[in-house]
Amino acid sequence: MNVLGLFLAASIIASGTITRAQDARKISDDASKAIEFSSLEMVSTLRINDGKGGVRIRQVANATRKFGGVTKTMIKFLAPPYVKGTTMLIYDYEDKDDDMWIFLPSLRKSRRIISSEKGKSFMGSEFSNADMSKPNLDDFNWKMYGSELVDSKDCWVVEAKPKNAAIEDENGYARKVSFIEKATSLTLKADYYDFDDRKFKTMTFSDYRRQSNGKHFAFNMEMKNHLNNRFSEITVDKFQLGSNPDESSFSVVTLGN
């Protein structure tokens, strides 16, 4: 093959790679928009299974509302007594890293959750603190792996790989492979790979319910840890579209009130 032929072949391959990456990002963006709410309130049950038959149960209240370019979420533990009042506040920005704070009743003060803690366990569960907020798509490189059936549903298989070590550390994984239903753009499951490229966790989403605004919400989410057999489950007990608290309620100074 002559030089021109090599150049054209390389250009075609590169173009195909770029297109697949763009398609993967577009599919992920559509999946994010399919479950995007400007405001909501809910009460849920968090079950933490230790893999040996032991279960800890916690009740949690969430309120989320968008103010301008930032979505603010308050997560407050209602029960049992030893975690009651523990509150997490999240500012989910559209164009920069999230801010997170946690209030601990035992200390009667709040503190910021630093970047290296975001990939850590959310209140002793297999979910991470980072799972509580929306990821910034620009933080990842995207790749398509074709399609696959999940529970007889045809899904796109999309990989998200953090662009650098800092983003890896913040999210707590080296790459994530999501299975997104073609017909609805709903994510059915996501496999998480560690820094040795072992699949160490899988999150599944089920009981999606269509809301009055046309968006969907998963009323059941489970995170399974394949390395220690622990798993945690969030089940939504009450769901309300729309959130009444004003912006001052989503403030660090009001945590614990």
Side-chain angles (χ1 to χ4, degrees):
M1 185 181 291
N2 59 30
V3 174
L4 179 59
L6 284 170
F7 175 78
L8 290 173
S11 298
I12 291 170
I13 292 170
S15 176
T17 301
I18 293 170
T19 300
R20 288 193 295 272
Q22 290 172 336
D23 288 346
R25 192 189 190 286
K26 172 74 165 56
I27 290 167
S28 296
D29 189 33
D30 289 343
S32 178
K33 289 176 180 176
I35 59 170
E36 187 175 64
F37 293 83
S38 59
S39 63
L40 63 85
E41 292 185 28
M42 68 180 184
V43 176
S44 58
T45 300
L46 170 62
R47 294 178 177 86
I48 303 172
N49 297 265
D50 64 9
K52 301 176 182 178
V55 182
R56 288 174 288 163
I57 298 177
R58 297 171 177 177
Q59 286 192 312
V60 190
N62 290 55
T64 295
R65 191 171 178 183
K66 189 170 185 177
F67 301 93
V70 56
T71 300
K72 300 185 178 184
T73 298
M74 189 83 74
I75 304 173
K76 188 171 185 176
F77 283 77
L78 306 178
Y82 63 87
V83 296
K84 184 178 180 180
T86 300
T87 307
M88 179 180 287
L89 176 64
I90 303 169
Y91 285 6
D92 195 342
Y93 302 99
E94 295 179 354
D95 55 0
K96 63 177 183 177
D97 291 344
D98 300 342
D99 285 325
M100 291 183 176
W101 298 266
I102 189 168
F103 171 82
L104 299 172
S106 59
L107 301 178
R108 295 301 305 168
K109 67 178 182 179
S110 60
R111 69 172 182 85
R112 181 184 292 272
I113 296 175
I114 61 176
S115 295
S116 60
E117 294 177 308
K118 292 180 180 179
K120 306 301 183 183
S121 169
F122 171 69
M123 293 298 292
S125 74
E126 295 310 305
F127 296 99
S128 71
N129 292 322
D131 292 326
M132 299 299 111
S133 65
K134 179 181 174 181
N136 185 341
L137 300 187
D138 291 332
D139 285 345
F140 301 89
N141 292 315
W142 299 93
K143 187 175 181 179
M144 279 283 293
Y145 283 111
S147 59
E148 188 173 317
L149 292 179
V150 176
D151 296 331
S152 301
K153 296 176 180 178
D154 194 14
C155 296
W156 295 114
V157 183
V158 177
E159 179 190 81
K161 193 169 185 178
K163 288 183 175 180
N164 56 52
I167 299 173
E168 285 182 345
D169 186 49
E170 183 172 332
N171 286 276
Y173 58 83
R175 64 188 183 99
K176 178 174 73 172
V177 178
S178 299
F179 298 78
I180 301 169
E181 187 181 9
K182 295 179 181 180
T184 62
S185 293
L186 298 177
T187 302
L188 301 187
K189 73 171 184 174
D191 292 329
Y192 295 79
Y193 291 80
D194 65 14
F195 305 107
D196 294 319
D197 206 36
R198 297 175 299 178
K199 184 171 71 174
F200 74 107
K201 289 200 297 187
T202 297
M203 184 187 289
T204 55
F205 303 84
S206 59
D207 194 14
Y208 274 108
R209 301 182 193 178
R210 183 182 173 90
Q211 304 302 312
S212 59
N213 64 352
K215 305 291 186 178
H216 289 76
F217 196 85
F219 276 59
N220 184 272
M221 291 154 278
E222 181 181 287
M223 184 72 86
K224 170 73 173 180
N225 190 315
H226 302 291
L227 302 184
N228 58 22
N229 290 320
R230 290 165 52 96
F231 63 96
S232 299
E233 180 182 33
I234 296 174
T235 303
V236 178
D237 303 310
K238 298 178 182 179
F239 183 90
Q240 174 185 309
L241 191 62
S243 180
N244 294 323
D246 58 27
E247 189 168 10
S248 63
S249 301
F250 297 89
S251 168
V252 179
V253 297
T254 64
L255 286 178
N257 293 340

